[in-house]
Short mmCIF file of all heavy atoms in Angstrom, two decimals:
data_model
loop_
_atom_site.label_atom_id
_atom_site.label_comp_id
_atom_site.label_asym_id
_atom_site.label_seq_id
_atom_site.Cartn_x
_atom_site.Cartn_y
_atom_site.Cartn_z
N LYS K 4 25.83 1.14 93.46
CA LYS K 4 25.35 0.42 94.63
C LYS K 4 24.36 1.31 95.38
O LYS K 4 24.62 2.49 95.57
CB LYS K 4 26.53 0.06 95.52
CG LYS K 4 26.19 -0.88 96.63
CD LYS K 4 27.44 -1.32 97.38
CE LYS K 4 27.09 -2.35 98.41
NZ LYS K 4 28.26 -2.79 99.15
N SER K 5 23.22 0.77 95.74
CA SER K 5 22.20 1.58 96.40
C SER K 5 22.66 1.97 97.80
O SER K 5 23.33 1.22 98.49
CB SER K 5 20.88 0.82 96.47
OG SER K 5 21.04 -0.33 97.26
N LYS K 6 22.27 3.17 98.18
CA LYS K 6 22.62 3.67 99.51
C LYS K 6 21.64 3.11 100.54
O LYS K 6 20.50 2.80 100.23
CB LYS K 6 22.54 5.19 99.53
CG LYS K 6 23.58 5.84 98.66
CD LYS K 6 23.46 7.34 98.75
CE LYS K 6 24.48 8.02 97.87
NZ LYS K 6 24.39 9.48 97.96
N ASN K 7 22.10 3.02 101.76
CA ASN K 7 21.22 2.59 102.83
C ASN K 7 20.19 3.68 103.08
O ASN K 7 20.50 4.87 103.08
CB ASN K 7 22.02 2.32 104.10
CG ASN K 7 22.93 1.13 103.96
OD1 ASN K 7 22.66 0.25 103.15
ND2 ASN K 7 24.00 1.08 104.73
N ARG K 8 18.99 3.30 103.31
CA ARG K 8 17.92 4.26 103.54
C ARG K 8 17.84 4.60 105.02
O ARG K 8 17.90 3.72 105.88
CB ARG K 8 16.59 3.70 103.08
CG ARG K 8 16.55 3.47 101.60
CD ARG K 8 15.22 2.97 101.16
NE ARG K 8 15.22 2.76 99.72
CZ ARG K 8 14.21 2.29 99.06
NH1 ARG K 8 13.10 1.97 99.68
NH2 ARG K 8 14.29 2.13 97.76
N ASN K 9 17.65 5.86 105.30
CA ASN K 9 17.50 6.32 106.67
C ASN K 9 16.07 6.80 106.87
O ASN K 9 15.55 7.57 106.06
CB ASN K 9 18.46 7.49 106.97
CG ASN K 9 19.90 7.03 106.91
OD1 ASN K 9 20.20 5.89 107.20
ND2 ASN K 9 20.79 7.93 106.54
N PHE K 10 15.46 6.38 107.93
CA PHE K 10 14.09 6.79 108.24
C PHE K 10 14.09 7.51 109.58
O PHE K 10 14.74 7.09 110.52
CB PHE K 10 13.17 5.57 108.31
CG PHE K 10 13.09 4.83 107.02
CD1 PHE K 10 13.84 3.68 106.81
CD2 PHE K 10 12.28 5.28 106.00
CE1 PHE K 10 13.77 3.00 105.62
CE2 PHE K 10 12.20 4.60 104.80
CZ PHE K 10 12.95 3.46 104.61
N ASN K 11 13.35 8.58 109.63
CA ASN K 11 13.19 9.31 110.89
C ASN K 11 11.92 8.82 111.57
O ASN K 11 10.91 9.49 111.59
CB ASN K 11 13.11 10.81 110.63
CG ASN K 11 14.39 11.34 110.05
OD1 ASN K 11 15.46 10.83 110.36
ND2 ASN K 11 14.29 12.33 109.20
N TYR K 12 12.00 7.66 112.13
CA TYR K 12 10.83 7.03 112.72
C TYR K 12 10.73 7.42 114.18
O TYR K 12 11.69 7.32 114.93
CB TYR K 12 10.92 5.51 112.59
CG TYR K 12 9.81 4.79 113.32
CD1 TYR K 12 8.52 4.80 112.81
CD2 TYR K 12 10.06 4.12 114.50
CE1 TYR K 12 7.50 4.15 113.47
CE2 TYR K 12 9.04 3.47 115.16
CZ TYR K 12 7.77 3.48 114.64
OH TYR K 12 6.76 2.85 115.30
N LYS K 13 9.56 7.87 114.58
CA LYS K 13 9.29 8.16 115.99
C LYS K 13 8.08 7.34 116.39
O LYS K 13 7.01 7.47 115.78
CB LYS K 13 9.00 9.64 116.19
CG LYS K 13 10.21 10.52 115.92
CD LYS K 13 9.87 11.96 116.14
CE LYS K 13 11.07 12.82 115.79
NZ LYS K 13 10.77 14.24 115.94
N PRO K 14 8.20 6.50 117.39
CA PRO K 14 7.06 5.68 117.80
C PRO K 14 5.89 6.55 118.24
O PRO K 14 6.07 7.60 118.84
CB PRO K 14 7.59 4.86 118.97
CG PRO K 14 9.06 5.03 118.97
CD PRO K 14 9.38 6.24 118.18
N ARG K 15 4.71 6.11 117.93
CA ARG K 15 3.51 6.87 118.25
C ARG K 15 3.24 6.94 119.74
O ARG K 15 2.80 7.94 120.27
CB ARG K 15 2.32 6.24 117.54
CG ARG K 15 1.03 6.99 117.78
CD ARG K 15 -0.14 6.30 117.19
NE ARG K 15 -0.10 6.40 115.74
CZ ARG K 15 -1.03 5.93 114.94
NH1 ARG K 15 -2.07 5.32 115.45
NH2 ARG K 15 -0.93 6.06 113.64
N PHE K 16 3.50 5.86 120.46
CA PHE K 16 3.11 5.77 121.85
C PHE K 16 4.31 5.78 122.80
O PHE K 16 4.25 5.21 123.88
CB PHE K 16 2.28 4.51 122.09
CG PHE K 16 1.02 4.50 121.28
CD1 PHE K 16 0.86 3.64 120.21
CD2 PHE K 16 -0.01 5.38 121.57
CE1 PHE K 16 -0.29 3.63 119.47
CE2 PHE K 16 -1.17 5.38 120.82
CZ PHE K 16 -1.31 4.50 119.77
N SER K 17 5.38 6.44 122.42
CA SER K 17 6.52 6.50 123.34
C SER K 17 6.26 7.53 124.43
O SER K 17 5.41 8.41 124.31
CB SER K 17 7.79 6.86 122.57
OG SER K 17 7.72 8.19 122.13
N LYS K 18 7.01 7.46 125.51
CA LYS K 18 6.81 8.39 126.64
C LYS K 18 7.18 9.81 126.24
O LYS K 18 6.58 10.76 126.72
CB LYS K 18 7.64 7.93 127.83
CG LYS K 18 7.14 6.65 128.43
CD LYS K 18 7.97 6.23 129.62
CE LYS K 18 7.46 4.91 130.16
NZ LYS K 18 8.25 4.46 131.31
N GLU K 19 8.14 9.99 125.37
CA GLU K 19 8.53 11.33 124.94
C GLU K 19 7.40 12.01 124.17
O GLU K 19 7.15 13.19 124.34
CB GLU K 19 9.77 11.26 124.05
CG GLU K 19 11.00 10.79 124.78
CD GLU K 19 12.16 10.59 123.84
OE1 GLU K 19 12.01 10.88 122.63
OE2 GLU K 19 13.21 10.14 124.31
N ASN K 20 6.72 11.27 123.35
CA ASN K 20 5.62 11.84 122.57
C ASN K 20 4.42 12.19 123.44
O ASN K 20 3.68 13.11 123.14
CB ASN K 20 5.20 10.89 121.46
CG ASN K 20 6.22 10.82 120.35
OD1 ASN K 20 7.05 11.71 120.24
ND2 ASN K 20 6.16 9.78 119.57
N GLN K 21 4.20 11.46 124.52
CA GLN K 21 3.07 11.75 125.40
C GLN K 21 3.27 13.07 126.13
O GLN K 21 2.33 13.81 126.36
CB GLN K 21 2.88 10.62 126.40
CG GLN K 21 2.36 9.35 125.77
CD GLN K 21 2.26 8.20 126.76
OE1 GLN K 21 2.64 8.35 127.92
NE2 GLN K 21 1.76 7.07 126.31
N ASP K 22 4.51 13.40 126.48
CA ASP K 22 4.78 14.65 127.17
C ASP K 22 4.59 15.85 126.25
O ASP K 22 4.10 16.90 126.67
CB ASP K 22 6.22 14.66 127.72
CG ASP K 22 6.43 13.58 128.79
OD1 ASP K 22 5.41 13.16 129.39
OD2 ASP K 22 7.58 13.17 129.01
N ASN K 23 4.94 15.73 124.98
CA ASN K 23 4.86 16.83 124.03
C ASN K 23 3.54 16.87 123.26
O ASN K 23 3.37 17.71 122.41
CB ASN K 23 6.02 16.74 123.02
CG ASN K 23 7.36 16.90 123.70
OD1 ASN K 23 7.45 17.57 124.72
ND2 ASN K 23 8.37 16.28 123.13
N SER K 24 2.64 15.96 123.56
CA SER K 24 1.41 15.87 122.77
C SER K 24 0.51 17.09 122.94
O SER K 24 -0.20 17.47 122.03
CB SER K 24 0.64 14.61 123.13
OG SER K 24 0.22 14.67 124.48
N ASN K 25 0.53 17.76 124.09
CA ASN K 25 -0.33 18.92 124.29
C ASN K 25 0.08 20.08 123.40
O ASN K 25 -0.77 20.80 122.88
CB ASN K 25 -0.31 19.35 125.76
CG ASN K 25 -0.92 18.29 126.66
OD1 ASN K 25 -1.72 17.50 126.20
ND2 ASN K 25 -0.53 18.28 127.91
N GLY K 26 1.35 20.32 123.20
CA GLY K 26 1.82 21.40 122.36
C GLY K 26 1.60 21.14 120.90
O GLY K 26 1.36 22.05 120.11
N ASP K 27 1.67 19.90 120.49
CA ASP K 27 1.51 19.55 119.09
C ASP K 27 0.05 19.57 118.65
O ASP K 27 -0.24 19.69 117.49
CB ASP K 27 2.10 18.17 118.80
CG ASP K 27 3.61 18.15 118.95
OD1 ASP K 27 4.22 19.23 118.85
OD2 ASP K 27 4.15 17.05 119.15
N PHE K 28 -0.85 19.46 119.61
CA PHE K 28 -2.27 19.36 119.27
C PHE K 28 -2.76 20.64 118.60
O PHE K 28 -3.47 20.59 117.60
CB PHE K 28 -3.08 19.06 120.53
CG PHE K 28 -4.54 18.83 120.26
CD1 PHE K 28 -4.96 17.68 119.61
CD2 PHE K 28 -5.48 19.76 120.63
CE1 PHE K 28 -6.29 17.47 119.35
CE2 PHE K 28 -6.81 19.56 120.37
CZ PHE K 28 -7.21 18.41 119.73
#
Side-chain angles (χ1 to χ4, degrees):
K4 190 173 185 180
S5 64
K6 294 181 181 181
N7 293 335
R8 295 182 180 178
N9 294 330
F10 298 99
N11 296 328
Y12 174 73
K13 294 180 183 177
R15 182 185 288 183
F16 299 109
S17 69
K18 292 181 182 179
E19 294 174 3
N20 288 341
Q21 290 176 357
D22 296 337
N23 296 332
S24 64
N25 295 336
D27 293 337
F28 185 70

